[in-house]
Amino acid sequence: MKVCYTSVFIIFFSALFNVACSSHQGEGDDGSHLQLDEVRLSFYLVSAGKADSTLPQVNYMGQSLQLRQPAIIGNGDVAAAELHSPTSIYLELTPEGGERLFESTRENIGHQMLIMLDDEVVNVATIQMGLRANMVITGLNEQQLSKLLITFTD
């Protein structure tokens, strides 16, 4: 049964986060080199609709979303990472991070969740089930993959 859940989560996240992302380029940056700084990875529950001035807001694909605080998981919750494909990464969370993700997603089925790398929204998806500690995030560009691998591998 554990193998089945792992497969479901990998398939779910592969489908869920299969959106190509544009890389953020600063002024004077022609994108010809990679910046290999550590990245801040965060998963947030989000609210859409009437604005609440107490919640931080982000825009994604023309939609204004409010980040429900605090983040569900962050950098400290990632136990391991490895390249999965040229556009995807496999993440394994710590037991505590996996449990927090599971509880938050189980309690918020039908609501939206987003993944952010630094201040860039990677994707927003509707939660379909309680998610556990193993996942594949797809649709990443070379710079995002490099930053994630440098941040989460020894």
Side-chain angles (χ1 to χ4, degrees):
M1 189 69 158
K2 186 174 182 177
V3 172
C4 179
Y5 279 118
T6 300
S7 297
V8 168
F9 292 133
I10 289 173
I11 291 168
F12 175 76
F13 269 100
S14 293
L16 191 66
F17 298 111
N18 194 14
V19 174
C21 302
S22 62
S23 64
H24 175 73
Q25 295 180 350
E27 287 184 23
D29 184 2
D30 65 359
S32 62
H33 65 282
L34 291 178
Q35 209 173 0
L36 298 178
D37 300 327
E38 286 192 353
V39 69
R40 285 183 330 271
L41 174 70
S42 306
F43 285 48
Y44 287 95
L45 293 172
V46 296
S47 302
K50 196 169 188 172
D52 179 346
S53 61
T54 63
L55 297 175
Q57 294 190 8
V58 296
N59 289 312
Y60 181 71
M61 299 182 76
Q63 186 179 22
S64 180
L65 301 168
Q66 300 172 47
L67 302 179
R68 291 171 43 193
Q69 299 287 326
I72 302 168
I73 58 172
N75 284 25
D77 299 304
V78 177
E82 63 184 56
L83 189 63
H84 184 262
S85 78
T87 60
S88 66
I89 192 166
Y90 167 80
L91 292 180
E92 179 181 334
L93 302 179
T94 63
E96 298 83 13
E99 187 60 31
R100 213 168 30 259
L101 180 63
F102 176 71
E103 289 298 321
S104 291
T105 53
R106 180 179 61 101
E107 294 171 1
N108 288 283
I109 292 172
H111 293 99
Q112 291 183 314
M113 179 178 73
L114 67 75
I115 295 177
M116 290 186 80
L117 296 179
D118 293 328
D119 295 323
E120 181 181 3
V121 178
V122 174
N123 205 328
V124 177
T126 300
I127 300 168
Q128 302 294 319
M129 66 177 83
L131 305 172
R132 295 266 182 193
N134 300 305
M135 66 191 75
V136 174
I137 301 174
T138 65
L140 300 170
N141 63 41
E142 184 180 351
Q143 184 176 18
Q144 292 166 331
L145 283 169
S146 295
K147 284 183 172 185
L148 284 166
L149 289 169
I150 291 213
T151 301
F152 298 115
T153 57
D154 294 331

